Amino acid sequence: MLATTTTVDNYINGQAVPPSSNDYLDIINPSTCAIIGKVALSRHSDVNAAVAAANAAFPAWSALTVKARAAIMLEFHALIRSHANELAQLIVSENGKNITEALADVAKGNETVEYATSLPQLMQGKIDYVSSGGVSCRDRRDPLGVVVSIVPFNFPFMVPHWTLPIALVAGNTVVLKPSEKVPLTMYKVMELVEKAGFPKGVVNLVNGTKDAVTSLIDHPLVKAVTFVGSSPVAKSIADRCHSWNKRCTALGGAKNHLIALPDCDAESASSDIVVSYAGCAGQRCMAASVLLIVGDENGSEQRELLHKVIEKASAIQPGTGPGQMGPVIDEPSLNKILGYIEQSEKEGAEILLDGRSWISRMGHTKGNWIGPTIIHHKNKSDKAMNEEVFGPVLSVYHVNTWQEAIAIENANPFGNAAAIYTSNGGHAEWFTRRVRASMLGVNIGIPVPREPFSFGGLYGTRSKYGDMDITGDGAIEFFTNRIKITSKWPTPTVPEYVMGVEQQQQQQQNEQGMGGGGGATTVDHANFAGRM
């Protein structure tokens, strides 16, 4: 078992293992900037050890039935539920989320664990007779081998569990690389992995930064890689994996647009908009970034909606309790967000709600605090209107027509999520058919697909690189090879004394090339078996 400690080592072949270099990085509480532990910085030799352990465990693990693997995952699901509060407290301390958001982080991750326990029913293959010549086709799903999951800081529990449960029940063994900023949560999870009964080597954890990531991608025994993070890194990882002919799904950043029509319900829409852009301090790829208000800027509906958004965002208090908003992850992130606000002022935008007041309110040296911020832009080309801020900042822009709203949304290089606020189903249908994003919401500003639906941005945009989606049936496809088997067996000669009259007549007709109805048998020209 892992010792209760603030030193986060690697977890390889069922035990805690210090890094070969003996180098560690400080773990910082973003609420206070206090050092709360240290995390291992792994090198190539550490990665080799983890991959070797996973590779050695693969034959026995993959030989189990899907049902047997799912049974262990079911135990894991129960353990997560019983340790949810403890895991959530770790998330609060290392990530800064409020406790409600941290519990949701755990619950949403455990939802994918639950989904994975259903794989015995979901991974069944198909079989069919495809030719009159007795040819049948069937398929099955085989695991890939050792797979790697590289995850970000913003959801310390949920994002690792987008991949870990499905990969494991599908029969793969896993090496996980958590964010070095939030390693405590998944280190604790390794205790639950042991208690659930996963054999040694099936789940391994390697901590570190770029050296560890590069070694994992390049390792010849690693068959597939998943990544969630920034767009430049996602592209780099996907390109590197594909240069090795490895399967990869790499989800990048986002610039999610909310479009509010005059007929939307201002009360419910405003609450949802605030939760979308300010929840988790805006540090999620599904967070609202731009609010496009359609119609006359001076219309009563538009004024009411914007007023309510400002009012509700202004009421948010700093902290990690329920309903409060925590800090951003670190000082570089804070400075980046401040830079976007300052740049918007220079570009002539109006700051309707200024979260910079939280810095003096909380004390800059005591944490990475910045409050909800709302910027009213006059120019759609402003920097904050077009780049990913990844903080509690909402850019507001007024448009006159539906077409203008669609043009702005579709012009952005990302294709992650978008939402429409309206009371009219026909209006919603018009927008959802035209918006260029992969995950769409109707009166829901955080349109995260729940299992069994898959999560992933739009191909060909900066939100998604590589192959397939990261959860649901997309993950089943990603973590398995679909093996197709075509079979034909010689037709046995049945003695006449065991055949009935009708069977004898049918055999005679078959030998003469006749169908049961007396007509000529249709020749299966698509059947290549035994013919040239």
Side-chain angles (χ1 to χ4, degrees), residues 146-158:
V146 180
V147 299
V148 164
S149 186
I150 303 165
V151 296
F153 72 84
N154 56 337
F155 285 90
F157 185 91
M158 181 187 76

Side-chain angles (χ1 to χ4, degrees), residues 9 11 69 87 165 203 209 214 256 364 399 466 479 487-488 510:
D9 285 317
Y11 180 81
R69 296 191 294 262
L87 292 167
V203 184
T209 54
T214 302
N256 304 320
H364 187 250
V399 296
F479 286 117
S487 303
K488 180 181 179 182
N510 289 342

Side-chain angles (χ1 to χ4, degrees), residues 406 410 427-436 440:
I406 288 294
N410 290 2
H427 295 171
E429 184 74 7
W430 190 93
F431 277 92
T432 55
R433 286 187 174 274
R434 289 166 174 80
V435 170
R436 180 177 170 268
L440 307 180

Side-chain angles (χ1 to χ4, degrees), residues 32-97:
T32 63
C33 288
I35 297 172
I36 56 175
K38 59 181 182 177
V39 58
L41 287 175
S42 299
R43 300 292 184 258
H44 185 67
S45 58
D46 305 302
V47 168
N48 275 343
V51 174
N55 190 58
F58 175 71
W61 179 247
S62 60
L64 295 176
T65 63
V66 181
K67 190 173 182 179
R69 296 191 294 262
I72 299 175
M73 190 61 66
L74 191 61
E75 292 291 329
F76 185 56
H77 179 268
L79 286 166
I80 292 168
R81 290 187 64 182
S82 64
H83 288 81
N85 288 326
E86 183 180 1
L87 292 167
Q89 290 295 342
L90 287 172
I91 293 170
V92 171
S93 67
E94 66 179 355
N95 174 274
K97 292 181 191 287

Side-chain angles (χ1 to χ4, degrees), residues 155-176:
F155 285 90
F157 185 91
M158 181 187 76
V159 176
H161 288 86
W162 275 353
T163 56
L164 194 69
I166 299 172
L168 290 171
V169 179
N172 303 282
T173 52
V174 178
V175 179
L176 176 74

Side-chain angles (χ1 to χ4, degrees), residues 161-327:
H161 288 86
W162 275 353
T163 56
L164 194 69
I166 299 172
L168 290 171
V169 179
N172 303 282
T173 52
V174 178
V175 179
L176 176 74
K177 210 298 284 184
S179 168
E180 67 278 7
K181 298 175 183 179
V182 291
L184 293 169
T185 301
M186 287 308 297
Y187 196 58
K188 176 64 182 179
V189 167
M190 293 303 106
E191 288 187 14
L192 308 186
V193 163
E194 290 185 17
K195 289 181 180 179
F198 287 97
K200 292 181 178 181
V202 170
V203 184
N204 303 274
L205 184 146
V206 170
N207 291 290
T209 54
K210 186 177 180 179
D211 287 347
V213 169
T214 302
S215 295
L216 285 167
I217 294 170
D218 293 349
H219 200 290
L221 292 177
V222 170
K223 304 301 182 183
V225 176
T226 69
F227 171 81
V228 179
S230 69
S231 295
V233 179
K235 183 180 186 303
S236 173
I237 286 177
D239 289 346
R240 194 176 188 105
C241 285
H242 288 161
S243 73
W244 289 105
N245 199 29
K246 291 183 182 181
R247 193 174 297 185
C248 176
T249 183
L251 303 186
K255 193 66 179 174
N256 304 320
H257 290 66
L258 309 182
I259 302 171
L261 300 187
D263 66 356
C264 75
D265 180 80
E267 180 61 34
S268 61
S270 59
S271 295
D272 192 74
I273 290 166
V274 170
V275 169
S276 180
Y277 99 86
C280 297
Q283 297 176 122
R284 52 187 171 201
C285 64
M286 298 296 285
S289 183
V290 176
L291 172 61
L292 300 175
I293 301 179
V294 182
D296 182 2
E297 185 173 345
N298 297 314
S300 59
E301 299 93 344
Q302 287 77 3
R303 289 203 310 271
E304 180 187 11
L305 175 65
L306 187 54
H307 172 75
K308 286 181 176 293
V309 169
I310 296 170
E311 181 181 51
K312 292 175 181 181
S314 301
I316 296 174
Q317 297 298 310
T320 55
Q324 296 179 326
M325 195 182 87

